[in-house]
Amino acid sequence: MNPLSKLPSVTVSGILSDAWRLYRLLFRRSIGFAAVVIAVLTAVNVAQYAVPRHTGLSVLLGIAAVVLAFAGPVIIQGALIELVRNIHEGRRPAGINALLERVGECFWQLLKVSIIYGLGVGLGLVLFIVPGLIIMARWSLMAPLVVLENVTQGAAARSSSLVRGKAQTVLLALLVGLAVSGIPSYIVYIAPIALYWQLLFSFVWGSLTVPFSAYLFTVIYYRITDPERSVIDPAVSSWKSLWNGA
């Protein structure tokens, strides 16, 4: 009998279930962390709209808003991917300082793959929908590869090779996650409501949903690369305190 046949299959329901379990388990820490990062971005956006247009301060705030729009999600994603590594390996979750230190070590590489992934998916969807969806699935493991395997070159190729044969399942799981987080945001964005209500919703909704997206990508990575082990180490359920690890 082929021993690989005993390994759990990569399924949409399994991916979403594991991501939801992580989201609930790490809710307070991850939501609080995401809220702090997104609050900074929101504050800069509010300040940008509050100051007079076409002034030096307005330009500086505009630049800061663009930089944070790229850097903020990368910081959150990198930190939470590392946090899931701790849970997967049955180790006491690292503190915020340790998570930020790990993000700092791979920030520029993580930023690069995040931009490549976003541009690849975006351009693919604009030009031809199917290529964009293919890229969404095949390049989905680039961020976890950078954080968890220290991949510095060829992240897209490595991700594609891992996802090969499972792209449809991965894509469906990602589309479900995207729909849950993206549709409410789009509705609010096109709704005829005041800008400050849109910014408030963006802050609250982003704080709640960005962590789930990070967990979703990390679950896909572990389900493919380490299928013999549960994404959440069984020992975690017996800990008296999640953050003390015992």
Side-chain angles (χ1 to χ4, degrees):
M1 185 184 205
N2 185 351
L4 292 179
S5 64
K6 297 180 180 180
L7 301 181
S9 59
V10 179
T11 63
V12 174
S13 60
I15 291 170
L16 295 173
S17 175
D18 280 346
W20 178 245
R21 288 173 60 210
L22 282 168
Y23 183 79
R24 293 175 59 192
L25 180 68
L26 303 171
F27 182 81
R28 285 187 298 175
R29 180 70 64 94
S30 58
I31 298 304
F33 181 75
V36 170
V37 176
I38 296 174
V40 175
L41 175 58
T42 303
V44 172
N45 285 328
V46 170
Q48 182 185 6
Y49 288 109
V51 301
R53 296 288 183 88
H54 309 300
T55 62
L57 180 57
S58 175
V59 172
L60 289 175
L61 289 172
I63 294 172
V66 172
V67 171
L68 288 172
F70 284 101
V74 167
I75 292 171
I76 296 170
Q77 186 178 46
L80 297 185
I81 289 173
E82 180 66 20
L83 186 59
V84 175
R85 188 215 297 261
N86 299 159
I87 298 300
H88 179 68
E89 296 177 354
R91 295 186 286 112
R92 180 171 67 89
I96 297 298
N97 289 340
L99 295 177
L100 289 175
E101 182 178 351
R102 176 62 190 129
V103 172
E105 293 171 353
C106 60
F107 174 80
W108 294 110
Q109 183 63 24
L110 194 56
L111 179 63
K112 183 180 79 172
V113 299
S114 297
I115 292 174
I116 291 173
Y117 184 68
L119 288 175
V121 173
L123 291 175
L125 291 175
V126 169
L127 299 176
F128 303 99
I129 293 177
V130 173
L133 295 176
I134 293 174
I135 291 173
M136 181 184 293
R138 291 189 177 176
W139 292 4
S140 60
L141 302 185
M142 289 199 296
L145 284 169
V146 169
V147 178
L148 302 175
E149 295 188 10
N150 296 310
V151 172
T152 57
Q153 299 293 332
R158 166 78 170 143
S159 177
S160 295
S161 67
L162 289 172
V163 173
R164 186 176 294 115
K166 309 173 187 68
Q168 183 176 358
T169 300
V170 170
L171 176 60
L172 288 174
L174 292 175
L175 287 177
V176 171
L178 181 64
V180 171
S181 61
I183 291 177
S185 296
Y186 178 75
I187 292 174
V188 171
Y189 178 76
I190 63 174
I193 60 176
L195 176 62
Y196 61 84
W197 285 116
Q198 290 182 344
L199 290 173
L200 177 61
F201 176 85
S202 178
F203 164 68
V204 174
W205 192 246
S207 300
L208 291 172
T209 58
V210 170
F212 183 80
S213 298
Y215 297 146
L216 191 61
F217 287 110
T218 316
V219 165
I220 294 170
Y221 169 84
Y222 276 126
R223 279 218 159 212
I224 291 176
T225 63
D226 197 6
E228 293 183 291
R229 297 174 60 186
S230 172
V231 174
I232 300 176
D233 189 279
V236 173
S237 62
S238 65
W239 291 353
K240 293 180 181 179
S241 168
L242 174 66
W243 303 110
N244 290 329

